[in-house]
């Protein structure tokens, strides 16, 4: 069996003006080249031009919209027009509670928003937006289940672990990192893929917003696509999500199977950090 997914990691800088119009024009041009690609993935804050403002807080106040506002309708329409799955990075969302979130949304070829995820781990103290409280996955019919992650989330192994436990076979991590720790983030992308035996796509913003170095990692931690370039480019590939099932069943390097670690004879392990337990009965998903 095979479950191919043609994917494009679009390492671009955010549009500075006419944001939605410029984004749409550039994506239409990309679609002409990547005519068979099903999923287009953009960096964090790609539709929120923070650099146009004195601070993130000022940008958030100026750019935030309700999730189901005009921006949402335009993106859903664009995904339907181009017959693609679209993850346009993240943007500022004004919640019903009046707080502003860093939110990542997914649009289907049918012109529907199928998922929205609020960043759980803002980069404190710089990022002052409200934190989300729910891990999110979505299903691509005939392909598989995909998890959502925003930038600093990747530094917390609990995030990738929960997404994988929820059935994610590919984790999409959208990033806007202009700092030297992008080198560590590329290691974390591999580590999260290895520890959870899933694909990880980490797309960073291009200069001047970020320093690039986007990459796509397979379930054994092998880097399938990567770039040291800081400029605008696209990393395209066709991954097979059946590889996740194979690695989780037969083991990394044919040996290691962490999802099969616990048996019915094992007792629960206390986790003092969380004030809870790691319960063998909940660990395995089958």
């Amino acid at each position: 069996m095979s479950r191919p997914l043609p994917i494009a990691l679009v390492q671009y800088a955010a549009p500075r003006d006419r944001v939605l119009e410029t984004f749409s024009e550039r994506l239409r041009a990309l679609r002409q080249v990547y005519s068979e690609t099903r999923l287009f993935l953009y960096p964090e804050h790609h539709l929120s031009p923070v650099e146009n403002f004195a601070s993130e807080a000022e940008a958030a106040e100026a750019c935030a919209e309700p999730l189901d506002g005009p921006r949402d309708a335009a993106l859903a329409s664009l995904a339907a027009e181009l017959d693609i799955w679209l993850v346009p990075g993240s943007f500022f969302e004004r919640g019903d509670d009046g707080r502003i979130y860093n939110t990542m949304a997914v649009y289907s070829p049918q012109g529907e928003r199928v998922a929205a995820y609020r960043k759980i781990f803002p980069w404190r103290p710089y990022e002052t937006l409200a934190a989300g409280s729910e891990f999110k996955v979505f299903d691509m019919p005939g392909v598989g289940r995909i998890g959502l992650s925003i930038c600093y989330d990747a530094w917390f192994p609990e995030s990738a672990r929960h997404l994988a436990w929820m059935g994610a076979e590919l984790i999409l991590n959208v990033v806007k990192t202009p700092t030297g720790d992008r080198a560590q983030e590329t290691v974390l992308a591999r580590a999260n893929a290895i520890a959870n035996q899933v694909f990880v796509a980490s797309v960073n913003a291009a200069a001047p917003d970020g320093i690039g170095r986007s990459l796509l990692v397979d379930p054994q931690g092998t880097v399938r696509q990567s770039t040291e370039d800081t400029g605008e480019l696209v990393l395209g590939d066709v991954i097979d999500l059946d590889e996740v099932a194979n690695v989780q069943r037969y083991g990394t390097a044919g040996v290691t199977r962490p999802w099969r670690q616990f048996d019915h004879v094992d007792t629960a392990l206390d986790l003092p950090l969380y004030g809870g337990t790691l319960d063998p009965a909940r660990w395995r998903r089958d």
Side-chain angles (χ1 to χ4, degrees):
M1 294 179 60
S2 179
R3 290 179 289 145
L5 174 60
I7 183 173
L9 280 61
V10 187
Q11 179 178 291
Y12 277 9
R16 292 301 193 265
D17 54 17
R18 299 174 54 251
V19 173
L20 277 176
E21 294 88 342
T22 301
F23 172 77
S24 300
E25 291 166 3
R26 301 191 78 187
L27 179 53
R28 289 187 182 104
L30 278 182
R31 183 61 166 151
Q32 295 297 313
V33 178
Y34 293 88
S35 59
E36 298 299 319
T37 294
R38 295 192 64 190
L39 173 63
F40 287 80
L41 178 68
Y42 284 78
E44 182 183 24
H45 284 317
H46 192 70
L47 297 179
S48 300
V50 177
E51 285 72 19
N52 288 354
F53 300 88
S55 66
E56 182 195 57
E58 183 179 320
E61 286 294 334
C63 300
E65 288 185 16
L67 186 57
D68 60 354
R71 175 178 54 207
D72 182 67
L75 292 169
S77 177
L78 183 62
E81 173 196 333
L82 299 178
D83 190 30
I84 60 172
W85 289 84
L86 174 61
V87 184
S90 70
F91 45 70
F92 295 119
E93 176 213 350
R94 189 177 297 278
D96 293 339
D97 57 4
R99 306 174 78 189
I100 299 177
Y101 297 87
N102 184 355
T103 300
M104 177 182 182
V106 181
Y107 300 90
S108 75
Q110 288 72 44
E112 299 174 345
R113 174 174 29 86
V114 298
Y117 164 69
R118 292 169 169 171
K119 187 175 184 178
I120 290 178
F121 297 104
W123 187 47
R124 306 296 194 210
Y126 173 76
E127 294 178 355
T128 59
L129 302 184
S133 58
E134 292 184 73
F135 299 105
K136 290 285 185 176
V137 297
F138 72 96
D139 291 319
M140 287 184 67
V143 177
R145 181 165 291 180
I146 298 174
L148 305 179
S149 170
I150 301 177
C151 202
Y152 199 42
D153 290 334
W155 288 75
F156 295 84
E158 298 84 355
S159 177
R161 178 69 83 202
H162 273 81
L163 294 173
W165 180 77
M166 293 167 71
E169 298 167 293
L170 164 65
I171 295 175
L172 306 178
N173 180 232
V174 300
V175 181
K176 183 182 176 184
T177 296
T179 48
D181 57 349
R182 181 60 183 164
Q184 283 73 25
E185 288 179 347
T186 61
V187 175
L188 288 169
R190 296 188 65 193
N192 284 326
I194 293 168
N196 298 290
Q197 297 179 316
V198 297
F199 285 97
V200 172
S202 176
V203 58
N204 191 16
D209 299 352
I211 57 173
R213 299 189 66 180
S214 300
L215 71 163
L216 176 62
V217 187
D218 78 7
Q220 300 202 60
T222 303
V223 177
R224 290 181 57 100
Q225 299 286 342
S226 67
T227 178
E228 295 296 315
D229 202 319
T230 64
E232 293 194 331
L233 53 81
V234 178
L235 295 178
D237 203 345
V238 182
I239 61 175
D240 183 356
L241 293 191
D242 266 355
E243 188 175 347
V244 174
N246 290 335
V247 172
Q248 291 184 1
R249 177 181 179 184
Y250 297 108
T252 299
V255 177
T256 303
R257 300 186 300 161
W259 290 111
R260 303 279 177 168
Q261 173 66 21
F262 299 106
D263 206 343
H264 65 280
V265 299
D266 292 317
T267 59
L269 174 68
D270 288 337
L271 299 176
L273 173 62
Y274 303 109
T277 61
L278 195 163
D279 186 347
R282 290 178 59 82
W283 178 263
R284 290 182 62 160
R285 298 163 295 172
D286 56 1

